[in-house]
Each structure stands twice: as structure tokens, then as C-alpha cells.
Amino acid sequence: MTYQIDALTGKQNTFQQMRERSVKCALWLRKQNVKPGDIIVTCTHNQLESYVPFVASMYIDVCINPWNEHSSSGSIEHFFKIVKPKVIFVNGNKAATILEVATKLGVSPKIVVFDETEGFESLESILNGHFDEAEVDGFSCTTLKKNNIRETTVVLFSSGTTGLPKAIEIPHTLFTSLSRMEVPPMSPSDVGLWFGSLSWITSVLLTIHTILSYATAIKCSGFDCEKVYQMIGKYKVTWMLIETGMCNRLVKSGVLTRYNISSLKIIIYGGSVNKAELHENLVKSLPDVLIMPIYGMTETGSISYSTSTGKFGSSGRICKNNRLMIADLNTGKPLGPNMHGEICTKSLTMMNGYYRDPENTKNIFDKDGWFHTGDLGYYDEDGYIFIVDRIKQLIKCKGHQVSPTEIEILLQSHPSVYESAVVPVPHLFDGQHPTAFVQKMSGAEVTAEELEQLVAMNMEDYKKLRGGVVFLENIPHVPNGKIDRKQLRNMAEIFKKK
Ligand code: ATP
Ligand code: MG
């Protein structure tokens, strides 16, 4: 039975192969003296082999910490300062960088490559080594025998959208995130497609979900609208999970309505604000598909979800076994419906804490145990949750708070705008000014003045794009698909000086 297919090469493997290869990897890890409590790392894109150490770690109760292959050496240095892995599984093209950074910091993990790379041991040679067949056949998972479902299984770095990525201890309970939403059960005839590597929480969830349901997983990295269509048609994809910005690009490019994607049953998307226009477009153009915007964090798992019949632009209602409180930004007191404040939550799937960082762990919870998300939002009288923006991302102009997302939604309603991102640029008298970075639709024309006018005509004076409009060939994204706002903030200052 097919477990997963590499969308680009067509390479496949079965559940039987997955079990055998993962068990062998687990046995090999034990021989390397990797024990419960230790940590191992994978550094990959969304590729077939990455599940081998991932499942192996679960077999022997070792923590796994997946990194994204596109992480810069600066990020890798940051990761090594926090985690000291015993073994790292990596693609050959990154092995030398990892070794260099590890050596510089005095960390000495064993490095295993997924392909054949001179100077490094390969996963294939390990799996092709000698194993006692009876031991492989009779191997059973120690993790599943555990009673402590809150034990840390995976350590994930947050996306690093607002600063340096934070290492987060994920308990087993987090794997129930998808089943706490009204998703139809996945069955062996289902085919899931996603793009993020295991370093993204949602990819971990879908990996576990497909394994437990005996469903097929299509692995693809590098997001491209045409490719998405081809893969849905070719592999009869039924489930697709993507980042909100990618979903927006799919809709803007017209791909979803141009092609026959009749196998698709459900699109789950999240990671950034669910724009009403996007939600409505998806529901109208794909009436037979369950459209599910979700809201969540690496630290918390999914917090809320919506459906095709939910209110457009809302991130839906809270998941089962979750609680939500909107805290006044100044007093921290709970607010009622339609009042903007910080979204706070308590849930079964809550992280165990920031990895080896008791101080930050303590600070993120208030005295009543509420986790503070750092997101600004509200709920309406029907219990629908609306996320306005990240509090840290709000632009302070002339004493007012400006939500970049609100301006982006307006800019994206312009037919010539493919994607946009608004960031602050410092200003001596006004505090900060909003600057818009814009990627045009291919072949479309629009001027900076037109877009500045659009905002000036439709929004309050302090929201005007006083920092200007900068056109880019491509809006930069962090590896999981979110807009790279740190890079854009730096670019805004450079453009201002010019
Ligand atoms: P970092 O914490 O390192 O800055 P990050 O917060 O982007 O990065 P994640 O845990 O991947 O890392 O993302 C969680 C955040 O993503 C949420 O706090 C929220 O700001 C945003 N987000 C996720 N889903 C939604 C949604 N449906 N609507 C609005 N924002 C969302
Ligand atoms: Mg965060």
C-alpha cells in the first residue's frame, strides 16, 4: 500500500517500507547510544526520506527537532545554541554548512546525509547494513506504551516571523489538533498534499494524520500555482493543507477555477490573517470543497477553525477542549464580544514550554494560566473569532495604531496586485510610517501613486502610505510560506535613505 509519493520525481514508498526503514533507523540510533531524553535533528525540505528519522524517533522515545533546509547559516547557528543534537540527518548540499557551524560552536553531532555525499555517512548505507531480521520484525514502539501523553515528542522552532525562532516543546496531545476540528475522518483512499517541511507544525500534524489513517501523502517542496493543479489532477488529491498566502496566490492566479480538480474534498489553510475576500472566493469557486481556514500557533496547536459556511474573514470558532479569552491590552482584564484585545488561550494541546527556557515559558502565561498569543483580535456575538493582526506588527503612526493587514487587504483588492506586504519605517515626528511592498500580477501595470491614492481615498489619514510603495519582482517569504517581514522592514529603511 502506497504511503507517500514524491510529487516531482514520482518516487514512492509503501507503509511496509516506511515501517522497516524507520525501525532500522531506530535500532541504529540506539546503537549510537541515542537514548530517551536525547534530541536528534532533521534538516530537509518536504521530501520522502525525512519521515525515516521522524518515525524512528517516535519508536525509541527520542525527541526530534526538524529544521527547514532553507534555513540560513545564521539561523542554524541560532538553532545550535539552543539544541545539542546527537545526530543530524541532512541533505548533502547542507552537510558542510552544518558541520562548519557545529564546529565553530563546539557542538559535535554525528551527521548523516540522505543522499551520497563524500565525507559523510549516508542513511542508505546505514539501512543497508546488517540487522537481525527477527529484531526488525518484532520491534514495537516504546512511545505508544507510555501513559504520559504530555511528554515532549517533537521540538519545533516557531516560524521566526517576529524575531528569532523560539524552540517549542510539543507534547503528544498536540497530534490531536486536527481531530479537534470538524474535519471528516481521513481514510486509506484519501490523498494529502502539502508543501511545508516537517519544521512546520501543520506538516507534522498532516504527517501523523496520514500515517494513522493509512492515507497517501504527496510530498512537494517549492510552491508553484501551476504545479499545484497538476499534482491535484495527477494524484487525485483529496486533502490539501497550505499557508494562507499560498492560498491567496492560488486564487489570484486563477488556477483553481481554470482546471479540473474534482478530486479535492478539503482545503485547510492558515498561518496568516484569513481575508474575507479569499474565503468567499474559495467557497464560491469551489462549492463542493470544504474550505477550512484555521488559526493556531506552534506553541498551542490549532486554536480555532472555520468552514465553508462560517463567516467570511473569521477564523471560526474555538476547537474542542480549547478556551479563549480576549484580554484588554492595558489592564489584561477579559473583554466581551466585539472588543479588540489580545487573544489568550488554554488548551489540551498547549506546548510543554520553550525548550530549556523556563523564564520565557513563565512569562508567556499570566497568573491565571492563560497563554498570551501576541495576536490582536475579537469574537463577535455568535462566537466567531476574528484576528486583526499581530500586536508586535502594528504600526504606530501619529499616535494611532495601524494594522498592516488591513492595508494589505485593500491593496490586494486591486486587480493588478498579486501580493502585498505593509511594514513600518521609522519617522522622526510621526513615529512610524506604513510602507507597502507590492508584487504586481504578471503583465499588469499600476503605479505607486495609484496605490497610494487607493489607500488615501479609502482609509483614515494616519493610514496613508507615507512610507511609499515599492515594487518587487517577488515578495520574500520565510521557508514555510509566510511573508518575511523582518527582511522587508530592513529593506524599507534602505529605500527610505535612498
Ligand atoms: P515567531 O513566533 O517566531 O515570530 P510565528 O508566530 O509566525 O513566528 P507560528 O507559530 O508558525 O510562528 O505562527 C503562529 C502565528 O501565525 C500566530 O500567532 C498568528 O500571528 C499567525 N496566524 C496563524 N494562523 C492565523 C490566522 N488564521 N489568522 C491570523 N493569523 C494567524
Ligand atoms: Mg509566534
Side-chain angles (χ1 to χ4, degrees):
M1 199 173 173
T2 308
Y3 162 48
Q4 54 176 1
I5 304 173
D6 183 315
L8 303 179
T9 62
K11 199 174 152 200
Q12 331 196 336
N13 47 44
T14 62
F15 276 94
Q16 179 57 26
Q17 284 166 325
M18 174 190 74
R19 185 193 176 277
E20 194 182 313
R21 289 165 71 79
S22 309
V23 166
K24 284 182 173 173
C25 183
L27 290 171
W28 177 82
L29 283 167
R30 270 196 190 151
K31 269 199 207 137
Q32 310 307 304
N33 201 24
V34 178
K35 299 186 293 295
D38 286 339
I39 193 157
I40 62 168
V41 159
T42 51
C43 181
T44 65
H45 54 266
N46 187 25
Q47 65 192 56
L48 296 198
E49 297 78 9
S50 54
Y51 76 84
V52 177
F54 182 77
V55 177
S57 71
M58 312 256 159
Y59 276 139
I60 55 169
D61 234 349
V62 159
C63 253
I64 186 144
N65 175 219
W67 301 351
N68 192 298
E69 192 187 42
H70 300 295
S71 307
S72 63
S73 30
S75 300
I76 291 173
E77 190 165 332
H78 169 67
F79 298 162
F80 269 132
K81 284 184 180 154
I82 300 174
V83 291
K84 310 284 180 236
K86 278 216 166 153
V87 182
I88 299 191
F89 296 86
V90 60
N91 282 326
N93 59 2
K94 205 76 183 185
T97 311
I98 297 238
L99 181 62
E100 196 185 308
V101 180
T103 312
K104 179 174 149 195
L105 297 177
V107 192
S108 45
K110 188 169 180 58
I111 299 177
V112 176
V113 289
F114 286 107
D115 38 19
E116 299 295 329
T117 306
E118 216 188 310
F120 295 97
E121 186 165 18
S122 76
L123 180 66
E124 276 318 304
S125 69
I126 289 171
L127 301 182
N128 289 332
H130 175 73
F131 288 93
D132 176 348
E133 264 178 45
E135 201 181 359
V136 174
D137 287 348
F139 193 89
S140 72
C141 176
T142 46
T143 308
L144 293 181
K145 290 186 205 144
K146 288 255 156 175
N147 293 324
N148 181 7
I149 54 167
R150 287 223 59 97
E151 200 158 295
T152 300
T153 319
V154 182
V155 172
L156 286 179
F157 280 98
S158 59
S159 301
T161 315
T162 50
L164 286 170
K166 294 162 279 226
I168 295 160
E169 292 194 22
I170 310 282
H172 289 203
T173 47
L174 201 128
F175 298 159
T176 63
S177 274
L178 283 177
S179 47
R180 293 180 312 112
M181 304 187 270
E182 285 166 85
V183 281
M186 204 178 224
S187 76
S189 60
D190 276 311
V191 179
L193 168 68
W194 65 96
F195 299 85
S197 78
L198 282 169
S199 60
W200 197 28
I201 179 80
T202 36
S203 303
V204 171
L205 293 180
L206 216 56
T207 299
I208 304 266
H209 216 61
T210 46
I211 293 177
L212 296 179
S213 322
Y214 279 100
T216 305
I218 308 296
K219 299 281 171 76
C220 185
S221 60
F223 181 82
D224 172 287
C225 293
E226 294 290 329
K227 247 195 298 183
V228 173
Y229 144 71
Q230 285 159 5
M231 279 179 277
I232 298 174
K234 182 167 174 192
Y235 297 110
K236 305 279 176 287
V237 169
T238 58
W239 281 56
M240 183 161 72
L241 196 151
I242 51 175
E243 196 277 326
T244 309
M246 291 177 178
C247 203
N248 200 37
R249 281 177 265 158
L250 273 183
V251 170
K252 278 261 173 181
S253 68
V255 167
L256 282 177
T257 45
R258 248 191 285 136
Y259 298 110
N260 176 4
I261 49 167
S262 55
S263 60
L264 206 56
K265 292 198 291 204
I266 170 165
I267 298 180
I268 304 177
Y269 65 93
S272 313
V273 171
N274 173 31
K275 298 168 176 106
E277 192 192 353
L278 168 67
H279 193 174
E280 186 173 1
N281 264 337
L282 282 167
V283 169
K284 291 201 171 137
S285 52
L286 301 171
D288 299 326
V289 179
L290 173 59
I291 305 296
M292 270 189 114
I294 59 172
Y295 164 59
M297 301 176 74
T298 317
E299 288 95 327
T300 61
S302 42
I303 297 174
S304 70
Y305 66 95
S306 193
T307 61
S308 301
T309 52
K311 294 190 184 183
F312 296 141
S314 158
S315 285
R317 293 193 169 108
I318 54 173
C319 299
K320 257 189 255 165
N321 291 318
N322 259 20
R323 291 177 65 197
L324 188 105
M325 192 260 288
I326 306 290
D328 183 286
L329 291 187
N330 298 317
T331 65
K333 296 239 167 73
L335 296 172
N338 297 313
M339 296 175 79
H340 288 209
E342 182 171 9
I343 298 174
C344 301
T345 180
K346 289 184 183 180
S347 84
L348 252 187
T349 53
M350 183 62 69
M351 65 167 178
N352 285 336
Y354 291 115
Y355 184 70
R356 297 192 177 162
D357 189 350
E359 197 177 329
N360 273 327
T361 305
K362 190 167 155 263
N363 292 341
I364 200 85
F365 294 95
D366 66 20
K367 62 177 182 12
D368 299 317
W370 289 102
F371 174 90
H372 284 243
T373 62
D375 292 322
L376 183 71
Y378 62 95
Y379 62 91
D380 69 6
E381 49 294 322
D382 300 319
Y384 278 89
I385 298 159
F386 292 80
I387 319 295
V388 176
D389 225 315
R390 288 173 194 261
I391 296 168
K392 273 194 191 168
Q393 224 162 260
L394 294 174
I395 299 170
K396 282 112 201 151
C397 181
K398 294 175 176 263
H400 297 274
Q401 289 192 326
V402 180
S403 156
T405 305
E406 191 190 348
I407 305 179
E408 287 161 16
I409 291 174
L410 178 62
L411 290 173
Q412 264 149 236
S413 68
H414 192 287
S416 300
V417 175
Y418 182 61
E419 192 171 19
S420 68
V422 175
V423 295
V425 64
H427 185 268
L428 194 57
F429 304 115
D430 296 345
Q432 295 174 321
H433 282 163
T435 299
F437 287 90
V438 172
Q439 181 177 339
K440 293 182 211 170
M441 296 286 284
S442 121
E445 270 318 320
V446 61
T447 62
E449 292 69 37
E450 278 176 70
L451 293 178
E452 283 166 14
Q453 269 299 312
L454 177 72
V455 174
M457 303 284 287
N458 289 283
M459 293 187 146
E460 292 86 342
D461 177 78
Y462 58 88
K463 293 181 184 168
K464 276 185 185 167
L465 292 172
R466 290 187 163 82
V469 173
V470 181
F471 291 105
L472 296 179
E473 285 279 306
N474 286 299
I475 298 281
H477 296 99
V478 294
N480 68 21
K482 295 187 188 198
I483 292 171
D484 188 344
R485 290 178 191 272
K486 263 186 297 182
Q487 186 178 339
L488 290 176
R489 273 197 300 271
N490 292 338
M491 285 167 70
E493 292 204 35
I494 295 168
F495 278 105
K496 188 187 164 196
K497 283 186 196 130
K498 276 187 182 170

